[in-house]
Amino acid sequence: MSNVAEIQDYLVNLAPPDLAESWDNVGLLTGDPAQNVNQIITCLTLTPDVAAEAIAAGADLIISHHPILFRPVQQITSTTVEGKMLLDLIQAKISVYSPHTSYDSAERGINWQLANLLGLEEIGVLRPIVSLSEESGEQQRGAGRYGTLPAEFTLPQLNQLIKQALKVNSLQFVGESDLRIRRIGIACGAAAEFLRDAHRHDCQVLLTGEARFHACLEARALGMGLILPGHYATERPAMERMALLLQQQFPELKIGASQQETDPLQWDCDVEPA
């Protein structure tokens, strides 16, 4: 029977913690490494709904992309939503692991998966990490990805391709309809800070999940497109894929993505224009 430590070893190999951003909180966040594991649930964000699902299912481990205990806490009590959730999970002996930005930046992590999904060629790293691994010839270490489309697209055509690939009905974007695109930068989640990295790599567009208003203005000033299909849309599919990868590695376990998790944002598409 597998235990938490064995699952952790696999996750560390899949998404090395040294790839995580300095501000992040990755790894085993609660739980006993020696605890046996029969069932795992993956999710984008560990919410009370997902925790209740895991407890009801008898899960032993939750792999949540977004970390719990992201900021230092001085108290864990039932008087706060996060505190009550943590106490419930601890009482149910459910461990929690978060790969977060280490999975974003892994060699076959979220940003690579998005680039591959869009059929990009000549995939490279937007923001490389300088490390000894580079001297040994290892490639694709660092944050963000960029790549070349197999043919030139206009911005509306690329928007349509991304909607189909990510299975979303709508998205937000910055840019002119006649913008011609051959190279794309990719940074999942909320990562418009990669805009200038993408510009330096001669990308005509940056794909990320969401962005602040001033980042949209910056994209326009640079003459770049910015495509925003949503935070959930750019990251949740990778947690479903993680469940499949884990199931292949640990076939004796019951593993699946949360069925309760949904995107909290909704779009009202029936409003008539003024």
Side-chain angles (χ1 to χ4, degrees):
M1 181 178 292
S2 300
N3 60 25
V4 171
E6 291 175 90
I7 308 299
Q8 182 178 7
D9 287 344
Y10 173 79
L11 293 170
V12 165
N13 184 65
L14 176 68
D18 68 328
L19 292 175
E21 299 292 336
S22 59
W23 45 262
D24 206 359
N25 185 28
V26 304
L28 185 64
L29 304 183
T30 66
D32 178 3
Q35 180 185 342
N36 289 333
V37 175
N38 292 296
Q39 183 172 354
I40 301 172
I41 289 178
T42 66
C43 64
L44 178 60
T45 308
L46 180 48
T47 62
D49 286 346
V50 175
E53 176 187 10
I55 292 169
D60 308 290
L61 174 63
I62 296 172
I63 303 172
S64 172
H65 187 57
H66 294 146
I68 55 173
L69 299 170
F70 190 69
R71 296 177 179 83
V73 296
Q74 294 179 314
Q75 296 175 322
I76 300 177
T77 72
S78 61
T79 59
T80 67
V81 172
E82 184 178 49
K84 184 179 186 307
M85 180 179 72
L86 287 170
L87 290 172
D88 288 344
L89 290 170
I90 291 169
Q91 186 175 14
K93 296 183 178 179
I94 298 176
S95 301
V96 179
Y97 187 99
S98 172
H100 204 206
T101 54
S102 61
Y103 189 34
D104 293 346
S105 300
E107 184 176 0
R108 291 295 182 266
I110 298 182
N111 288 316
W112 179 88
Q113 290 175 35
L114 289 169
N116 188 60
L117 184 65
L118 295 176
L120 299 190
E121 302 167 350
E122 301 173 340
I123 298 172
V125 178
L126 277 180
R127 193 179 290 175
I129 292 176
V130 178
S131 66
L132 293 176
S133 61
E134 291 188 3
E135 296 179 8
S136 65
E138 185 174 348
Q139 302 297 316
Q140 303 300 322
R141 285 184 63 85
R145 294 292 185 271
Y146 67 89
T148 304
L149 288 161
E152 188 176 76
F153 280 66
T154 64
L155 186 55
Q157 289 171 335
L158 183 58
N159 285 342
Q160 188 62 30
L161 173 67
I162 289 171
K163 285 193 290 184
Q164 291 173 349
L166 297 183
K167 299 178 182 179
V168 296
N169 295 322
S170 58
L171 51 72
Q172 294 180 301
F173 69 94
V174 175
E176 301 297 328
S177 61
D178 60 353
L179 180 64
R180 314 300 292 188
I181 302 155
R182 195 65 195 271
R183 181 172 284 192
I184 307 173
I186 296 175
C188 63
E193 68 268 21
F194 284 85
L195 191 62
R196 290 195 176 270
D197 298 280
H199 187 259
R200 281 193 294 272
H201 285 282
D202 298 320
C203 298
Q204 292 84 39
V205 163
L206 176 68
L207 167 65
T208 187
E210 59 180 314
R212 294 186 177 185
F213 180 72
H214 289 285
C216 298
L217 292 177
E218 182 180 12
R220 188 169 68 181
L222 289 170
M224 291 182 62
L226 184 61
I227 301 178
L228 310 170
H231 199 129
Y232 186 92
T234 61
E235 293 188 336
R236 161 73 188 201
M239 297 311 294
E240 296 171 6
R241 175 168 173 74
M242 178 177 281
L244 294 175
L245 293 172
L246 284 163
Q247 190 68 80
Q248 292 171 5
Q249 184 71 21
F250 302 96
E252 74 281 7
L253 304 184
K254 183 177 180 181
I255 305 171
S258 169
Q259 298 299 301
Q260 292 297 314
E261 184 171 50
T262 58
D263 190 344
L265 290 175
Q266 301 181 61
W267 295 89
D268 186 344
C269 299
D270 297 324
V271 177
E272 293 293 331

